[in-house]
Amino acid sequence: MSLLTRLSENPVLKPDSQIPWMASAAFNGCVVKDGRTFHLVYRAVSAPGEFDGVYMERSTIGYAESADGVHFHGHRQLIAPQEEWERYGCEDPRVTEIDGSFYIFYTALGTYPFSAEGIKVAVAVTKDFKTIEERRLVTPFNAKAMVLFPEKIHGKYAVLFTMHTDMPPARICVALAGRIEDLWSHSFWRRWSDSLNEHILYLQRSEKDHVEVGAPPVLTRNGWLIIYSYIQNYFSPPPVFGIEAVLVHRRNPLRILGRSHTPLMTPEFEYEKYGKVPNIVFPTGALVHRGQLRVYYGAADTTCCVATAPVVSIAQIVRGTKKPEADLHRFSGNPIIVPEPLHAWEAKAAFNPAAIYLGGKVHIVYRASSEDNTSVFGYASSKDGFSVDERLSDPIYAPRADFEAKKVPNGNSGCEDPRITKIGNTLYMCYTAFNGVEPPRVALTSISVDDFLAHRWNWTDPQLISPPGVDDKDAALFPKKIGGKFVILHRLGVSIWIDFVDRLTFGESKWLKGKILMNPRTGIADSSKIGIAGPPIATRRGWLLLYHGVARKDHDYRVKAVLLDLKDPTRVLARTQAPILAPEMSYEIEGQVNNVVFPCGSVVIRGRLFVYYGTADSRIGVATMRLRSLLDRLEREKVK
């Protein structure tokens, strides 16, 4: 999910073909509030033409104002190339008010073709956004994205900027100046550079990534909140542009108090995916209005947009003192099921549980593993959804067919990762059948509800339902027919597939397939592969489906959610961007497979969603949340 909610008015600023200087693009805006007026400065890109002997689209800085910070009017060109060091363009302004003046820092392009030595920071000073009183070249070296803190720190003016943006590795740096004029003094920067390593704010997680300052800092009760651009895989394309945040100490902006570990937002909406440069969200402005943090960002280098969130929540999330709204909350007694060394069949691991609510209690059917790596299914139940009241000493389901019999001594084999669906008076169980030699396949069996509740394990003979020679798993049935057909979800390759079948009989030329329902998404922590958690749950707003996503970068398993149309489940209505559960606890981080949370079943009890999940392929935990909170969250993230 995006922790920031996009405004329905987006984009709030667009190019205008009738205005030559902003005919191609109008983006990367920054807003400052003065009394009742919101002042917007932004990068405008002209229609192609000849400028200073070069045929090009040239960037200048536009201005507009607003009474609400969303609907802007009075567009006019505020800053255009005037000096030699900006002759080929003025880009990406950031504005701050201090000492009764507005300081607009921007990127000045002094050479063409563009090169690092000609890309520097400049500043323009105004008191009324009508007259530019002063204009200066700030940095003598390659730099971009300078922002001025709106308050002095220890009696000094403080700026944050990206140094050597075009001469990587780039570094986000802090500079403190006793006089504002020092910021455009070459001697000041020469002295500052002598101790460069003392001024770096370290935010880059990988040498493949790129960071750049975003918006001017926002003061919160917890410290300075800084919204910045974090670009994953910048040096190993395709890059993934994201908006992140860091909280720094009020009196020491180099002291990090907390930071986001996943993007607050990545390109998802059409106006962010398509434009002059596709798949970009780039923050350049932020302010707090009536308790809401507003982030102004450029979308696809074409338009300017706004996204919001309660500033207190973002600050707390960044600092790690509050979980995002509508995340799953772990039971304090986790793990609720652990391996039982007295039972050989579950001595090594007990994990990846299916769950179904029948007869006033939760029935948990879980994957258990012996020391020789044979998987079977065990049974436990809980009246309150948390504490296990009953756990059987023998497995309720074990390998019975050749396609799940062990072919390699001590190799993985058996029945894995069950999902249970009730249709009428029958429980259908899909699971992964594996013999250690052939690719894993989806198997299907069933049992009557009466036999299941009476612990009479009269399962029907299992049948393979996915095609031979293909790695297929993570399957479950919908709990009702749709259009007179059974509906089955499964994971073929790296994507979630959906299939509609007349009968649950397979074999020969009839195998599970269908079409792709959802693909992995680049840069959103499910970029490697995705698979369903448990069967979908019917709600008034749509089918709620939890799924796991695996990131290409770190291979962690995280839980996310999607909402499907009730009548046509091939229609994805909404899909969370950030996870609702990610490996954090020691029992989720360390085990047979580290950093895994893997649900196979969920139930709803009195309006609360209970999610049962495997932890690090070793134990079982449960996490809960209000169902309505998750549905509200999905409502905010509806696919446009």
Side-chain angles (χ1 to χ4, degrees):
M1 154 188 162
S2 171
L3 297 177
L4 296 168
T5 301
R6 297 161 175 84
L7 295 190
S8 59
E9 293 89 344
N10 279 347
V12 299
L13 179 64
K14 300 178 182 180
D16 188 336
S17 61
Q18 301 303 309
I19 304 176
W21 56 270
M22 60 179 287
S24 293
F27 62 112
N28 290 2
C30 185
V31 172
V32 64
K33 191 171 186 287
D34 179 27
R36 295 184 177 181
T37 302
F38 293 83
H39 302 280
L40 169 70
V41 291
Y42 58 92
R43 177 178 173 183
V45 181
S46 71
E50 186 171 323
F51 300 97
D52 210 2
V54 176
Y55 188 81
M56 62 187 300
E57 293 180 340
R58 188 176 68 166
S59 292
T60 60
I61 294 172
Y63 168 85
E65 60 185 53
S66 170
D68 61 7
V70 177
H71 303 91
F72 291 92
H73 59 87
H75 294 275
R76 53 187 168 83
Q77 195 175 54
L78 181 65
I79 301 172
Q82 177 177 301
E83 306 292 340
E84 184 70 18
W85 34 263
E86 61 185 5
R87 62 188 296 194
Y88 295 110
C90 308
E91 301 179 347
D92 303 344
R94 276 85 164 179
V95 59
T96 300
E97 182 184 14
I98 198 167
D99 296 340
S101 293
F102 297 95
Y103 291 84
I104 305 169
F105 290 88
Y106 60 95
T107 302
L109 306 179
T111 58
Y112 190 88
F114 303 127
S115 59
E117 61 271 15
I119 302 174
K120 300 174 182 178
V121 171
V123 66
V125 186
T126 183
K127 290 185 182 296
D128 55 13
F129 292 97
K130 295 177 181 177
T131 302
I132 299 298
E133 299 177 349
E134 193 170 4
R135 186 189 301 227
R136 298 281 186 173
L137 182 64
V138 175
T139 60
F141 45 76
N142 173 235
K144 286 182 178 178
M146 183 172 284
V147 295
L148 177 66
F149 284 71
E151 291 184 5
K152 291 183 180 180
I153 297 176
H154 296 300
K156 295 185 176 183
Y157 298 92
V159 292
L160 189 71
F161 67 98
T162 313
M163 184 178 186
H164 293 162
T165 315
D166 306 284
M167 301 170 62
R171 294 288 183 263
I172 290 180
C173 300
V174 173
L176 300 175
R179 301 180 310 133
I180 195 72
E181 295 82 7
D182 290 340
L183 294 175
W184 42 88
S185 164
H186 282 210
S187 60
F188 168 82
W189 289 111
R190 188 164 52 250
R191 293 191 303 272
W192 179 89
S193 299
D194 288 341
S195 55
L196 173 61
N197 289 338
E198 298 177 11
H199 309 303
I200 298 174
L201 184 65
Y202 290 97
L203 296 174
Q204 195 170 343
R205 292 188 288 268
S206 166
E207 61 182 13
K208 296 179 180 179
D209 300 342
H210 181 67
V211 290
E212 190 165 332
V213 173
V218 172
L219 185 59
T220 74
R221 290 182 301 174
N222 299 308
W224 292 105
L225 182 65
I226 299 168
I227 306 297
Y228 63 97
S229 173
Y230 196 99
I231 310 168
Q232 301 177 53
N233 304 322
Y234 186 80
F235 299 106
S236 58
V240 180
F241 281 73
I243 295 175
E244 298 198 13
V246 61
L247 193 69
V248 299
H249 197 278
R250 182 169 185 170
R251 294 181 299 278
N252 179 8
L254 288 173
R255 180 183 168 192
I256 296 175
L257 302 177
R259 61 175 296 189
S260 55
H261 296 285
T262 57
L264 304 180
M265 203 169 91
T266 56
E268 187 174 357
F269 283 48
E270 286 195 8
Y271 50 78
E272 299 159 352
K273 290 183 175 182
Y274 306 104
K276 290 181 69 67
V277 183
N279 296 308
I280 289 182
V281 290
F282 189 83
T284 44
L287 57 78
V288 177
H289 181 60
R290 297 174 180 172
Q292 292 287 311
L293 175 70
R294 287 185 180 176
V295 176
Y296 293 80
Y297 66 97
D301 275 12
T302 304
T303 63
C304 185
C305 301
V306 183
T308 71
V311 66
V312 173
S313 294
I314 292 294
Q316 290 177 333
I317 289 166
V318 169
R319 196 169 184 181
T321 58
K322 177 182 178 183
K323 291 179 71 63
E325 179 190 1
D327 270 10
L328 285 163
H329 296 267
R330 296 167 178 83
F331 173 49
S332 60
N334 278 350
I336 61 171
I337 297 177
V338 299
E340 175 50 73
L342 296 179
H343 302 155
W345 58 275
E346 58 176 347
K348 187 171 185 177
F351 58 116
N352 296 4
I356 191 159
Y357 190 66
L358 295 170
K361 59 183 177 181
V362 181
H363 303 266
I364 303 167
V365 176
Y366 61 92
R367 175 180 172 185
S369 178
S370 61
E371 292 295 347
D372 76 344
N373 299 306
T374 300
S375 288
V376 299
F377 297 150
Y379 172 90
S381 65
S382 171
K383 294 177 182 176
D384 64 5
F386 297 110
S387 304
V388 172
D389 305 306
E390 179 186 23
R391 183 175 176 184
L392 300 186
S393 57
D394 293 308
I396 67 167
Y397 195 92
R400 293 181 289 163
D402 184 68
F403 52 73
E404 55 199 17
K406 189 178 295 294
K407 303 291 186 182
V408 179
N410 294 314
N412 288 331
S413 68
C415 311
E416 305 175 353
D417 307 344
R419 277 90 169 177
I420 295 178
T421 301
K422 179 179 179 293
I423 302 178
N425 195 46
T426 302
L427 299 180
Y428 294 92
M429 182 169 70
C430 293
Y431 65 92
T432 301
F434 185 51
N435 60 19
V437 176
E438 298 168 294
R441 295 174 68 182
V442 176
L444 175 66
T445 185
S446 63
I447 190 172
S448 73
V449 170
D450 294 339
D451 280 350
F452 183 86
L453 292 177
H455 292 4
R456 296 188 295 265
W457 308 120
N458 297 319
W459 300 95
T460 61
D461 291 338
Q463 59 171 323
L464 290 174
I465 67 173
S466 65
V470 178
D471 186 329
D472 202 340
K473 52 176 64 175
D474 300 338
L477 276 76
F478 277 67
K480 61 177 290 187
K481 289 185 177 182
I482 298 176
K485 295 179 180 291
F486 293 98
V487 188
I488 307 176
L489 297 168
H490 61 116
R491 196 202 86 206
L492 183 59
V494 299
S495 304
I496 295 174
W497 288 61
I498 186 168
D499 200 1
F500 296 78
V501 298
D502 295 317
R503 293 178 299 277
L504 295 177
T505 50
F506 296 82
E508 298 180 358
S509 61
K510 176 58 179 174
W511 301 111
L512 200 60
K513 193 170 182 182
K515 66 178 184 178
I516 292 176
L517 175 67
M518 295 194 306
N519 284 313
R521 296 176 294 181
T522 303
I524 314 185
D526 56 15
S527 57
S528 179
K529 62 181 178 180
I530 57 176
I532 68 163
I537 296 171
T539 76
R540 286 184 296 176
R541 304 193 208 180
W543 291 104
L544 174 65
L545 176 68
L546 303 188
Y547 71 97
H548 64 259
V550 184
R552 179 173 287 107
K553 186 174 182 180
D554 54 24
H555 305 293
D556 291 3
Y557 280 69
R558 303 173 175 92
V559 183
K560 298 191 176 185
V562 64
L563 196 65
L564 307 176
D565 187 85
L566 279 174
K567 294 182 179 179
D568 179 8
T570 64
R571 285 186 59 219
V572 175
L573 303 178
R575 184 175 174 183
T576 60
Q577 182 169 318
I580 60 175
L581 187 71
E584 292 177 6
M585 308 303 288
S586 59
Y587 54 83
E588 299 164 347
I589 294 172
E590 297 179 357
Q592 288 195 108
V593 181
N594 295 340
N595 300 306
V596 173
V597 288
F598 194 94
C600 290
S602 305
V603 302
V604 177
I605 305 175
R606 292 183 291 277
R608 195 158 194 86
L609 180 68
F610 286 68
V611 177
Y612 297 86
Y613 65 100
T615 70
D617 276 16
S618 300
R619 302 170 181 86
I620 293 171
V622 60
T624 69
M625 65 194 303
R626 290 177 61 240
L627 177 62
R628 182 175 177 179
S629 294
L630 181 54
L631 295 176
D632 287 346
R633 174 169 166 174
L634 284 161
E635 185 75 26
R636 294 192 296 271
E637 299 196 48
K638 281 199 169 180
V639 177
K640 302 295 182 181

